[in-house]
Amino acid sequence: EPEVTQTPSHQVTQMGQEVILRCVPISNHLYFYWYRQILGQKVEFLVSFYNNEISEKSEIFDDQFSVERPDGSNFTLKIRSTKLEDSAMYFCASSEHTGEYQPQHFGDGTRLSIL
Amino acid sequence: SQKIEQNSEALNIQEGKTATLTCNYTNYSPAYLQWYRQDPGRGPVFLLLIRENEKEKRKERLKVTFDTTLKQSLFHITASQPADSATYLCAPRNSGNTPLVFGKGTRLSVIA
């Protein structure tokens, strides 16, 4: 079964550095999402992306964050000038374009640790 | 503001029993509701979807009910097994490709 893949599985970065998290969504999917989960807390929406632009973003997704689909397969989340509180699991998800009631398919996440 | 409450943070049951998990929501009028399973260190995995005009949905040992009057969904696992141990998340949704808003989840432990 096709799946969403995320790399790296674990990223350790010094505070203030930039980090890029990568995702390869399922190939025929057209909606893409990033979520994060701080340890012990719930999964929270960051941003959705469709037709090469952001379609919705949460208040967590401030100017520090950006997303890009640089080619036909990758979907990236960039965090500029990381802060300690950015430490979390970051999940990428995708869903099909057609039809209502589409589930989202999640990757297994990147654990981001800011030191 | 919109709120999703799942009945308890943790639920322990004996193998073979039926587990019942509750999801209550406020300030939503969802067109449908989804249930996901999350294992430690993994991403959520879609299990079942129930539409607002459906009272009940089944898939193998799983059953979901949806009561839009009570603003509640119940998720049942019959003949539970230790492999069912995971956190279960509910997500009411208003339309097809909007972001998911999850509850905190219920951590189910099935004891052999």
Side-chain angles (χ1 to χ4, degrees):
Chain A
E1 185 173 322
E3 55 184 32
V4 175
T5 56
Q6 291 186 243
T7 54
S9 56
H10 192 189
Q11 174 82 43
V12 181
T13 301
Q14 290 288 329
M15 186 171 63
Q17 296 295 305
E18 175 183 287
V19 66
I20 297 176
L21 310 182
R22 300 180 194 279
C23 170
V24 179
I26 294 172
S27 62
N28 64 332
H29 286 188
L30 295 177
Y31 286 85
F32 313 115
Y33 308 84
W34 283 101
Y35 293 82
R36 80 170 185 192
Q37 187 174 31
I38 294 169
L39 187 64
Q41 298 188 25
K42 63 181 181 178
V43 177
E44 299 175 289
F45 166 71
L46 292 177
V47 65
S48 59
F49 193 86
Y50 170 69
N51 201 26
N52 282 321
E53 59 183 26
I54 291 173
S55 47
E56 199 165 340
K57 60 183 180 179
S58 72
E59 51 192 39
I60 302 169
F61 192 88
D62 60 21
D63 292 344
Q64 179 196 11
F65 294 89
S66 61
V67 289
E68 200 176 36
R69 187 149 162 84
D71 54 43
S73 58
N74 290 288
F75 180 50
T76 62
L77 175 69
K78 183 191 289 187
I79 310 175
R80 287 181 281 276
S81 190
T82 49
K83 304 189 274 260
L84 292 176
E85 54 264 37
D86 294 327
S87 296
M89 282 287 283
Y90 287 81
F91 294 108
C92 173
S94 67
S95 62
E96 290 184 64
H97 169 64
T98 55
E100 281 281 318
Y101 315 112
Q102 292 299 318
Q104 291 182 15
H105 299 261
F106 285 77
D108 277 337
T110 294
R111 180 174 300 284
L112 179 63
S113 301
I114 307 299
L115 305 178
Chain B
S1 62
Q2 294 177 326
K3 205 170 166 185
I4 303 165
E5 289 183 1
Q6 296 192 239
N7 56 323
S8 55
E9 282 197 18
L11 181 65
N12 298 325
I13 62 164
Q14 288 289 329
E15 182 177 9
K17 300 289 188 190
T18 296
T20 298
L21 285 63
T22 305
C23 174
N24 294 297
Y25 57 89
T26 52
N27 296 323
Y28 270 103
S29 296
Y32 61 108
L33 189 144
Q34 297 184 350
W35 283 88
Y36 286 75
R37 168 185 172 139
Q38 186 178 25
D39 290 283
R42 309 292 298 270
V45 174
F46 171 74
L47 294 175
L48 273 174
L49 175 156
I50 186 165
R51 303 179 189 197
E52 61 178 334
N53 60 350
E54 295 175 318
K55 289 273 192 279
E56 182 179 298
K57 199 81 167 280
R58 290 176 186 260
K59 180 182 173 183
E60 298 170 355
R61 293 184 297 110
L62 309 181
K63 183 178 89 171
V64 172
T65 63
F66 193 14
D67 188 327
T68 54
T69 304
L70 291 178
K71 296 186 183 296
Q72 181 182 80
S73 176
L74 299 179
F75 179 84
H76 307 271
I77 307 175
T78 57
S80 58
Q81 304 165 0
D84 296 326
S85 299
T87 296
Y88 291 86
L89 312 173
C90 74
R93 299 185 78 185
N94 291 329
S95 66
N97 282 302
T98 54
L100 288 171
V101 179
F102 288 106
K104 277 189 174 179
T106 298
R107 190 173 68 250
L108 175 68
S109 297
V110 181
I111 302 157

